[in-house]
Amino acid sequence: MDPKLASIIEQVKVDIITPTQQRDNARQLEEVSRSFISDTITVPTKEMFAYAVQTSLGDDVYNEPSTIALEAHIAKLTGKEAALFVSSGTMGNQLAIRTHLQQPPNSIICDIRAHINKYEAGGAAIHSGALQNALTPKNGHHLTLKDIEPHVVFGTDIHSAPTRIICLENTLDGTIMPQSDIIEIADFALKNGILMHLDGARLWHVAAETQTPIDELCAPFDSVSLCFSKGLGAPVGTCLVGPKEFIQKARWFRKIFGGGMRQTGVLAGSVAYALTHNFSLLPRVHALAKRLQAGLEELQVGILSPAETCMVFYDPSTIGIEYWEIIDRAAALPNPIGLTGSRLVVHIQTSPEAVEDFLSLIKTLKEEKVQAGIVPLAVNSNGMRNVYIRATRSSTPT
């Protein structure tokens, strides 16, 4: 071999597996079981990997059999004509908006708390040239037709951007949007030529909690994005579903966005394992979240948003504690607990011990405040509050 080539070969080589990798992985799984930060942190199990490596080896831009089989299953499950496997929920939502919309000007309506509005970096404006009309639900829980109808833009007034899509999210901050309200909005949209898209990243939780079939939950929508890497615990992946022609166009935009993937069989296999083995674990997750809420209420901790599915939002100022105090003390425990602020997310790998240890910590902190004569903060309950509060040392919840 030419010495110059041999030198380059040596430079290219890398080993990313450390001698302690297996032990590190076990430790990470333990950390995940004691973290309430998100359900995206769940890790693949050995059983999931063992199933996934048996999948096909095709290229998804051309033809990947295992991925095609997964897409066909998801299309059937949701009652739609076709499905497209993509890398993330954000990509699923943004592909849906871009595919539905034609030439601007266009606008979309969504909840002010929606992932599309708050956590997708202004994607609708960047990718689709669409104005987002983000609404605050008057009932403090979910959008209704009464919230939406006054803000729908009709006609050809050149000063306005006509409403083309109503984007809903279910669950949103862990809360379930009633199907009756969804159907009422969908009927209105259909009568007025407006499309309906659902960010159904955690729709699996709705199905498990309400015992409603997935296709029934998806029926009112022209398109739905379903995530596999949150509640179901797969490492990567979302499916966008809708009419066959719509999905074909979305596949084109996926390529334009740089989202065309290659050997996705192992990812599809991980998703298939998650659907088969992890969906059934969600009722346990919901029960654990409700136990978390009940324990907090017993300690007189304020609940900003109750545990309808996998999330609890809490306010410790009612017992004189700030979020950063809890985060610091939880991180200093012999067996640490991961937290970020008001949101507590329970997932399929959350341990019951973590829930009890967290409640025990809150109890200890409360007792310390009482002994120190700390007076709890006044809680402002006027109007709809932002329930998702990330902890800082310089501010307190308002």
Side-chain angles (χ1 to χ4, degrees):
M1 182 182 296
D2 186 287
K4 290 184 178 180
L5 177 57
S7 175
I8 296 172
I9 290 172
E10 288 303 312
Q11 293 171 14
V12 170
K13 289 180 180 178
V14 62
D15 182 3
I16 62 171
I17 299 176
T18 67
T20 60
Q21 193 66 63
Q22 291 302 314
R23 187 167 69 244
D24 293 343
N25 286 349
R27 184 172 64 248
Q28 185 174 3
L29 180 57
E30 172 67 13
E31 291 173 359
V32 165
S33 75
R34 297 180 62 80
S35 176
F36 297 100
I37 292 173
S38 178
D39 48 3
T40 62
I41 64 172
T42 52
V43 296
T45 61
K46 292 180 180 179
E47 294 80 8
M48 180 181 285
F49 278 138
Y51 179 85
V53 296
Q54 300 177 65
T55 54
S56 54
L57 302 175
D59 182 320
D60 189 38
V61 173
Y62 298 106
N63 180 18
E64 207 307 292
S66 291
T67 307
I68 291 172
L70 173 67
E71 290 170 341
H73 173 72
I74 296 299
K76 182 179 179 181
L77 181 67
T78 58
K80 303 302 182 184
E81 290 182 349
L84 176 65
F85 185 70
V86 300
S87 60
S88 68
T90 295
M91 177 165 280
N93 288 332
Q94 293 304 318
L95 282 174
I97 293 170
R98 182 62 189 87
T99 305
H100 281 312
L101 296 180
Q102 304 298 320
Q103 181 68 29
N106 296 300
S107 67
I108 64 176
I109 284 178
C110 64
D111 193 299
I112 194 169
R113 304 162 297 169
H115 197 275
I116 286 173
N117 185 53
K118 294 186 69 175
Y119 304 112
E120 296 187 7
I126 295 168
H127 297 303
S128 305
L131 171 68
Q132 287 184 180
N133 191 357
L135 308 180
T136 300
K138 289 185 174 63
N139 61 23
H141 185 271
H142 64 278
L143 287 178
T144 66
L145 183 58
K146 290 182 179 179
D147 295 316
I148 292 171
E149 190 170 4
H151 297 277
V152 173
V153 178
F154 297 107
T156 56
D157 184 345
I158 62 172
H159 301 91
S160 64
T163 303
R164 304 298 187 195
I165 312 174
I166 296 172
C167 297
L168 303 179
E169 185 172 337
N170 201 14
T171 65
L172 198 166
D173 286 344
T175 61
I176 296 172
M177 186 170 187
Q179 192 71 0
S180 57
D181 283 301
I182 290 174
I183 292 171
E184 186 176 16
I185 294 167
D187 288 344
F188 167 82
L190 181 63
K191 291 175 183 176
N192 291 282
I194 299 171
L195 296 164
M196 292 277 290
H197 172 70
L198 174 66
D199 179 351
R202 294 184 175 91
L203 194 65
W204 314 106
H205 290 277
V206 181
E209 184 67 17
T210 65
Q211 300 181 22
T212 306
I214 299 292
D215 60 348
E216 184 176 331
L217 294 171
C218 294
F221 297 93
D222 297 282
S223 60
V224 180
S225 178
L226 297 142
C227 190
F228 308 117
S229 64
K230 295 184 174 70
L232 295 183
V236 176
T238 287
C239 261
L240 175 63
V241 300
K244 185 176 181 180
E245 185 177 350
F246 165 84
I247 292 298
Q248 182 57 43
K249 188 69 173 181
R251 190 178 295 274
W252 204 332
F253 281 122
R254 185 186 72 168
K255 182 63 177 174
I256 294 170
F257 284 10
M261 296 183 285
R262 300 302 178 179
Q263 286 70 34
T264 55
V266 290
L267 299 179
S270 297
V271 171
Y273 184 91
L275 289 165
T276 302
H277 298 278
N278 293 349
F279 173 72
S280 61
L281 303 178
L282 295 184
R284 169 194 169 275
V285 170
H286 300 171
L288 207 53
K290 289 177 173 62
R291 162 60 191 145
L292 188 56
Q293 177 186 333
L296 289 169
E297 289 176 326
E298 289 171 9
L299 294 168
Q300 290 81 50
V301 174
I303 301 299
L304 299 173
S305 182
E308 294 185 21
T309 55
C310 64
M311 298 183 193
V312 182
F313 291 81
Y314 76 113
D315 180 4
S317 69
T318 58
I319 55 174
I321 305 172
E322 296 187 52
Y323 291 113
W324 65 263
E325 295 179 86
I326 301 171
I327 293 171
D328 285 354
R329 290 285 289 273
L333 290 172
N335 200 355
I337 295 174
L339 304 163
T340 57
S342 66
R343 188 176 80 161
L344 302 171
V345 185
V346 180
H347 51 76
I348 59 173
Q349 292 172 337
T350 301
S351 71
E353 291 77 17
V355 170
E356 299 307 320
D357 289 349
F358 174 76
L359 294 173
S360 178
L361 173 62
I362 299 297
K363 181 180 180 181
T364 298
L365 285 168
K366 178 183 178 181
E367 291 170 351
E368 291 175 359
K369 295 295 182 180
V370 171
Q371 292 173 5
I374 301 297
V375 178
L377 298 174
V379 178
N380 177 15
S381 59
N382 295 327
M384 183 175 172
R385 299 181 61 192
N386 174 27
V387 299
Y388 195 174
I389 304 165
R390 297 178 185 273
T392 62
R393 290 179 180 275
S394 60
S395 64
T396 54
T398 57

